Amino acid sequence: PHFIIQIPGKNDSICFNIDEKPGTVLRLIQDPVTGITVTGQIIGDKRSNASSRTGKTYFGKLGITNAWMDFRVEVTTEKIILGTGAELSTFSWLDTITVTQTGLSVTINRKKNMVVSFGDGISFVIILHQVWKKHPVHQDFLGFYVVDSHRMSAQTHGLLGQFFQPFDFKVFGIRPGSDPTKPDATMVVKNHRLTVTRGSQKDYRKDASVGTKVICWFVHNNGEGLIDGVHTDYIVPSLF
Amino acid sequence: SLPEGVVDGIEVYSTKISCKVTSRFAHNVVTTRAVNRADTAKEVSFDVELPKTAFITNFTLTIDGVTYPGNVKEKEVAQKQYEKAVSQGKTAGLVKASGRKLEKFTVSVNVAAGSKVTFELTYEELLKRNKGKYEMYLKVQPKQLVRHFEIDAHIFEPQGISMLDAEASFITNDLLGSALTKSFSGKKGHVSFKPSLDQQRSCPTCTDSLLNGDFTIVYDVNRESPGNVQIVNGYFVHFFAPQGLPVVPKNIVFVIDVSGSMSGRKIQQTREALLKILDDVKEDDYLNFILFSTDVTTWKDHLVQATPANLKEAKTFVKNIHDQSMTNINDGLLKGIEMLNKAREDHTVPERSTSIIIMLTDGDANTGESRPEKIQENVRNAIGGKFPLYNLGFGNNLNYNFLETLALENHGLARRIYEDSDANLQLQGFYEEVANPLLTNVEVEYPENAILDLTRNSYPHFYDGSEIVVAGRLVDRNMDNFKADVKGHGALNDLTFTEEVDMEEMDAALKEQGYIFGDYIERLWAYLTIEQLLEKRKNAKGDEKENITAEALDLSLKYHFVTPLTSMVVTKPEDNEDQTSIADKPGEEAIAETTTMSFLTTQQSSQSPYYYVDGD
């Protein structure tokens, strides 16, 4: 999975990948104040097996919970299960549906995306990426976007959540890299000095098939030095 | 020596039931061909039992190659012909209620020696989804061996068929196996039942037929999406049946008639049914029992949660239900309604729950307030449209129309429980239908100014295993896309389902619709509109009733449906005078009166023969 962090006021972005074996569940957001947690499970491409680290990986399952509302959503590339405790509703990506209750709104847009909002100020979008069913390698996967986080607390953490609060970084010493089209540079962030590479990723919110190019500084080695701790600190045993 | 299958000189050499179902709308044609092999003229009878929910759309007689078509006429017009026939001393009942689900169509004609006759009856019905499947019910009763007997059903469902099965009550699976073929793939399904003469025999050396009973085809469709909209020739139909939703908790009050007339088997069957129902009540539900005879007694003072301890206590209470004295429907119902209202006001039941009242009675109110109009008014005012009332009429000794009106006025429905060995199963079956509400206050909305002539689009409940069907007409039949929203309250949250139809995509999906019959959506819309108008008419009064009647009559005549407002007349010129048959549709209230309808087979040769019906 490719992580993209857009930095407000900087007009720049930082990106990194997390490479883990299929089945791994990563904590993306955790906010003890609002009670919201988001996790994502990695799946491999059609060639990979459970121990494979070499194939392509994607998010195949996402979990969103709100502990205070006793509410959870499980999203896979096939279906969406949401509800409270044992009272769960199951929907398909073929549905177009809006589910509302006090402080919550979930909208599924058939075969495209779904929007999960907790009141004003917290809103996530999940994109369904569908590939050709008979593709020899790739399979359907999910994208997760935080479109509004201003009601999330300062204590929010997780691979994405730790970046909701303003942070500073500096990039200097731009120099040719191993790929002439992608210069390297030095980034100072969170008291670390990192070698980063200019690259690009795609934002698929507007168009899930083509996407919009986002230029970013790529942090190598699973975001080491950018993220707090190491990426394995964010591995959790299960989606919920 | 007469060929096999000849009874009293008449050989019925072919009977074919041809069914074509497109998107739940069934178009059935029953054709029987017979020849008179006797030396003298003989009477040939044609009996068909068809579902009560079906409308006859055509009946033709073909005698010696000449076809006499049927014409649908306003009942009063047909009535005049009927009266003329009566004055000549001849009547014939063509259609009458028959059993629980069926109406019987009967006609006879005199056929000259050596002549052939073909009877062809066409009827249409919308198959309603119940407990997760559509059921097409065909009565098979040829009464003699038929050289060519065939049921041939073709089903076309644009959503794709998920299961298809067929079974016959009168034949063992071993015998059925070779005569029955059933298959489905994608959007198409096919069932064929074609028993040979030998397979029809009740025993290897018998000359009588074992074909006598029910032939049932059941199927369901794929539901990748909760809704499905189909548009053809400017008419649309919207099917809605979401899956995977949790059940909305129920607050249910059973109002049970324990008057003297319930004594014996009825009260025993009621007890058995209630005990079974208690096994199925979910812990989230709240319930109570109100018993009424001359007085009203209750199990509890208020609704209680269906905890294991409460259910155990409820079962003890039910086991001790006994019959006594008179029938005070008014007080029984009002007590139940008051309890449900109070539970809601006091917040003693879950906020996101739905209330239901089910009344079971076997007779008319005869103590306390016994005027039907006053009871209706009291109940209507007490419920105030807040929840549905379901009325179960046990047996025939009751004013079913009253129960139906009472239920319809309060967003519910009435159901007749037939006095039979399986009455307890009928009661349980009804409960199962309403036991799992998935949505409440369902509203189906379409773009403003885009549609006309919409059928009913709001329902108090959507029950698991059922389906909501809405049909209408597009203002602009060339529109590019079409959007429908279905809003409802679920167990946990409010839901809005949106169905967007891309006309090009849909045209591609329906391109095979010519495979069945092209105008099915328009006819389905007409069927549904008439059915709902007739239901609405039951509660209407004065000008409103007149307007509804006029509208339903116009549609019945335009679309050639035999409804309670129309009759079908078949006229055959004979000896310079007309021979006329009329097909009518009896209502549910006609059940108790079936014996009053007669069919006279003896005719005076000096007078021209008439075939007639006396409906409701």
Side-chain angles (χ1 to χ4, degrees):
Chain A
H2 309 302
F3 287 71
I4 310 169
I5 314 297
Q6 289 181 305
I7 315 296
K10 280 251 182 200
N11 199 22
D12 206 350
S13 299
I14 302 175
C15 47
F16 61 94
N17 291 347
I18 298 289
D19 293 318
E20 261 303 333
K21 55 180 188 283
T24 304
V25 180
L26 297 169
R27 188 172 61 236
L28 305 179
I29 297 170
Q30 186 167 40
D31 180 3
V33 176
T34 60
I36 292 170
T37 302
V38 180
T39 53
Q41 185 173 42
I42 289 171
I43 54 166
D45 62 31
K46 286 175 180 166
R47 295 174 306 193
S48 64
N49 55 49
S51 59
S52 167
R53 275 177 183 267
T54 53
K56 301 276 185 193
T57 55
Y58 333 80
F59 276 126
K61 195 185 270 190
L62 291 163
I64 301 173
T65 55
N66 184 325
W68 309 147
M69 293 174 74
D70 188 23
F71 176 81
R72 73 182 212 189
V73 189
E74 182 182 321
V75 186
T76 68
T77 55
E78 299 285 323
K79 61 187 176 182
I80 296 129
I81 302 170
L82 58 87
T84 310
E87 299 287 335
L88 298 171
S89 307
T90 305
F91 303 105
S92 132
W93 275 107
L94 294 169
D95 297 339
T96 297
I97 184 173
T98 302
V99 178
T100 51
Q101 68 183 66
T102 310
L104 169 79
S105 163
V106 178
T107 299
I108 303 165
N109 293 306
R110 179 183 159 87
K111 294 187 188 175
K112 285 181 188 159
N113 59 38
M114 64 179 286
V115 183
V116 180
S117 302
F118 294 97
D120 288 335
I122 301 174
S123 190
F124 310 130
V125 171
I126 295 164
I127 307 282
L128 173 68
H129 292 273
Q130 288 188 302
V131 301
W132 179 44
K133 288 273 178 256
K134 291 178 183 171
H135 193 287
V137 177
H138 292 300
Q139 57 179 324
D140 296 351
F141 64 99
L142 301 170
F144 178 78
Y145 294 80
V146 179
V147 291
D148 190 353
S149 63
H150 80 267
R151 286 276 168 86
M152 301 289 278
S153 80
Q155 294 174 52
T156 306
H157 209 264
L159 279 168
L160 287 172
Q162 63 187 284
F163 299 108
F164 292 170
Q165 297 305 312
F167 72 102
D168 199 15
F169 70 92
K170 281 194 180 91
V171 177
F172 55 90
I174 298 173
R175 55 198 179 269
S178 52
D179 179 342
T181 61
K182 294 177 179 174
D184 281 350
T186 300
M187 175 185 281
V188 175
V189 62
K190 293 183 179 177
N191 298 323
H192 293 107
R193 222 178 143 83
L194 312 171
T195 295
V196 292
T197 302
R198 200 59 169 160
S200 69
Q201 289 296 350
K202 286 210 171 161
D203 177 341
Y204 291 102
R205 270 177 300 173
K206 283 190 183 152
D207 181 342
S209 56
V210 181
T212 309
K213 206 172 192 181
V214 177
I215 304 296
C216 61
W217 288 108
F218 181 77
V219 180
H220 299 268
N221 301 326
N222 292 310
E224 195 177 307
L226 171 69
I227 60 171
D228 296 336
V230 292
H231 82 279
T232 50
D233 295 343
Y234 298 87
I235 295 175
V236 290
S238 63
L239 213 57
F240 299 112
Chain B
S1 62
L2 291 168
E4 269 190 310
V6 177
V7 174
D8 194 24
I10 301 296
E11 182 190 1
V12 177
Y13 59 93
S14 169
T15 290
K16 183 168 181 178
I17 304 173
S18 173
C19 313
K20 291 177 178 177
V21 183
T22 306
S23 296
R24 301 63 156 163
F25 195 61
H27 177 90
N28 297 337
V29 182
V30 184
T31 310
T32 285
R33 297 174 201 278
V35 57
N36 179 2
R37 296 205 181 277
D39 299 332
T40 56
K42 289 274 179 184
E43 191 173 78
V44 181
S45 290
F46 174 64
D47 292 345
V48 177
E49 290 193 58
L50 59 144
K52 282 178 185 171
T53 47
F55 291 145
I56 290 172
T57 60
N58 204 6
F59 174 65
T60 60
L61 269 172
T62 303
I63 299 175
D64 286 337
V66 182
T67 299
Y68 306 100
N71 286 303
V72 174
K73 291 187 177 180
E74 186 180 353
K75 202 160 201 164
E76 278 182 24
V77 176
Q79 185 72 13
K80 284 181 185 154
Q81 287 174 293
Y82 167 81
E83 281 162 7
K84 188 181 164 196
V86 169
S87 71
Q88 292 173 342
K90 297 176 286 278
T91 58
L94 283 191
V95 182
K96 61 181 181 181
S98 169
R100 298 176 188 179
K101 296 181 179 177
L102 301 171
E103 286 166 1
K104 190 167 190 172
F105 176 95
T106 307
V107 67
S108 302
V109 288
N110 268 323
V111 178
S115 288
K116 286 182 176 177
V117 60
T118 301
F119 301 95
E120 187 177 278
L121 178 76
T122 307
Y123 64 91
E124 292 176 345
E125 66 169 329
L126 179 66
L127 305 177
K128 291 191 174 66
R129 189 166 185 253
N130 189 13
K131 296 180 190 171
K133 58 182 189 284
Y134 306 97
E135 187 176 277
M136 187 155 68
Y137 189 70
L138 302 166
K139 188 82 172 180
V140 174
Q141 206 171 19
K143 292 179 187 164
Q144 66 186 88
L145 300 176
V146 179
R147 213 188 312 153
H148 178 93
F149 183 90
E150 184 179 7
I151 294 172
D152 186 41
H154 289 270
I155 299 165
F156 177 74
E157 288 289 347
Q159 287 163 274
I161 295 169
S162 61
M163 60 80 74
L164 172 71
D165 199 8
E167 55 185 44
S169 66
F170 47 83
I171 194 164
T172 63
N173 280 341
D174 292 349
L175 285 170
L176 195 62
S178 57
L180 177 72
T181 59
K182 47 193 176 187
S183 62
F184 69 98
S185 173
K187 297 171 185 171
K188 294 177 186 174
H190 182 228
V191 174
S192 170
F193 176 59
K194 211 171 170 181
S196 64
L197 272 176
D198 284 343
Q199 285 172 317
Q200 292 175 42
R201 289 179 206 284
S202 57
C203 71
T205 54
C206 295
T207 54
D208 59 329
S209 175
L210 60 70
L211 303 188
N212 183 4
D214 308 330
F215 188 87
T216 313
I217 298 171
V218 291
Y219 75 93
D220 199 15
V221 302
N222 293 322
R223 285 174 206 284
E224 287 175 336
S225 168
N228 180 259
V229 177
Q230 294 165 30
I231 305 171
V232 176
N233 296 338
Y235 285 83
F236 76 89
V237 61
H238 182 179
F239 300 104
F240 177 74
Q243 300 188 120
L245 299 175
V247 175
V248 179
K250 297 183 298 298
N251 314 310
I252 188 159
V253 169
F254 296 94
V255 179
I256 308 293
D257 183 347
V258 291
S259 62
S261 56
M262 287 283 288
S263 70
R265 192 162 76 153
K266 279 196 222 169
I267 200 91
Q268 175 60 26
Q269 287 173 321
T270 302
R271 276 196 295 260
E272 284 169 13
L274 290 175
L275 288 171
K276 281 279 184 197
I277 287 169
L278 283 169
D279 283 338
D280 295 337
V281 174
K282 295 173 183 69
E283 190 155 1
D284 288 342
D285 293 341
Y286 282 68
L287 79 158
N288 203 349
F289 293 99
I290 315 275
L291 309 181
F292 67 90
S293 50
T294 303
D295 301 314
V296 174
T297 54
T298 64
W299 169 45
K300 296 281 185 188
D301 294 338
H302 52 87
L303 274 92
V304 296
Q305 195 179 352
T307 59
N310 282 337
L311 288 176
K312 193 176 170 194
E313 199 183 320
K315 284 181 182 175
T316 307
F317 175 81
V318 166
K319 283 175 192 164
N320 289 306
I321 290 176
H322 294 292
D323 58 281
Q324 53 186 340
S325 53
M326 314 271 277
T327 306
N328 190 343
I329 288 177
N330 184 69
D331 288 359
L333 273 177
L334 292 184
K335 184 73 188 169
I337 296 163
E338 181 202 333
M339 243 178 222
L340 284 169
N341 282 334
K342 191 163 188 314
R344 188 65 81 185
E345 283 160 18
D346 295 350
H347 303 285
T348 53
V349 291
E351 193 66 27
R352 297 195 79 92
S353 60
T354 185
S355 300
I356 293 173
I357 185 160
I358 298 178
M359 178 176 75
L360 172 77
T361 182
D362 75 330
D364 298 335
N366 56 18
T367 187
E369 180 54 72
S370 59
R371 292 168 295 172
E373 295 78 14
K374 189 66 188 165
I375 297 174
Q376 280 171 230
E377 186 188 330
N378 291 344
V379 169
R380 200 169 49 232
N381 291 339
I383 291 182
K386 293 190 288 287
F387 48 82
L389 165 67
Y390 297 109
N391 284 333
L392 304 176
F394 204 154
N396 287 328
N397 300 323
L398 42 72
N399 181 351
Y400 188 82
N401 278 349
F402 161 66
L403 292 183
E404 191 171 39
T405 304
L406 193 60
L408 290 173
E409 276 183 346
N410 294 288
H411 307 294
L413 56 88
R415 186 72 61 80
R416 197 184 279 280
I417 301 296
Y418 293 86
E419 229 177 308
D420 214 335
S421 57
D422 68 344
N424 52 341
L425 297 177
Q426 295 173 53
L427 286 167
Q428 282 168 48
F430 175 79
Y431 176 75
E432 283 164 16
E433 283 177 43
V434 299
N436 297 308
L438 300 185
L439 290 172
T440 61
N441 299 326
V442 183
E443 297 275 346
V444 190
E445 296 173 358
Y446 301 93
E448 270 182 47
N449 307 322
I451 48 144
L452 292 168
D453 303 329
L454 195 64
T455 60
R456 185 179 170 192
N457 66 332
S458 68
Y459 291 83
H461 291 104
F462 167 75
Y463 294 108
D464 194 18
S466 70
E467 184 173 63
I468 287 174
V469 184
V470 183
R473 196 154 63 85
L474 300 181
V475 172
D476 173 13
R477 61 160 61 196
N478 297 318
M479 63 200 295
D480 297 332
N481 54 55
F482 181 83
K483 185 169 162 285
D485 284 337
V486 186
K487 294 178 179 172
H489 303 304
L492 309 169
N493 24 52
D494 297 339
L495 300 107
T496 304
F497 298 84
T498 304
E499 192 67 37
E500 272 189 85
V501 184
D502 182 300
M503 299 300 224
E504 274 184 26
E505 242 179 56
M506 204 203 49
D507 282 349
L510 290 178
K511 68 180 179 220
E512 291 160 278
Q513 52 101 3
Y515 162 76
I516 304 286
F517 52 108
D519 62 347
Y520 71 96
I521 293 184
E522 186 175 348
R523 293 195 68 78
L524 188 159
W525 165 82
Y527 172 99
L528 209 52
T529 304
I530 294 168
E531 189 183 55
Q532 291 174 0
L533 284 171
L534 293 173
E535 194 168 88
K536 210 168 155 189
R537 181 173 168 263
K538 287 175 183 164
N539 277 344
K541 289 183 178 71
D543 286 350
E544 190 197 4
K545 185 163 189 161
E546 275 182 29
N547 293 339
I548 292 170
T549 305
E551 198 183 338
L553 175 62
D554 280 353
L555 285 172
S556 304
L557 292 172
K558 183 178 176 191
Y559 289 94
H560 225 243
F561 285 128
V562 177
T563 68
L565 305 174
T566 54
S567 299
M568 180 167 289
V569 182
V570 182
T571 306
K572 173 183 171 286
E574 189 171 289
D575 302 333
N576 300 322
E577 288 189 60
D578 286 353
Q579 175 174 313
T580 305
S581 299
I582 291 186
D584 259 2
K585 186 172 186 63
E588 178 66 23
E589 64 275 18
I591 280 182
E593 300 162 12
T594 51
T595 53
T596 65
M597 293 193 283
S598 58
F599 182 67
L600 300 188
T601 54
T602 55
Q603 292 161 3
Q604 295 162 26
S605 57
S606 60
Q607 291 174 317
S608 61
Y610 267 76
Y611 306 99
Y612 256 95
V613 63
D614 182 9
D616 55 329

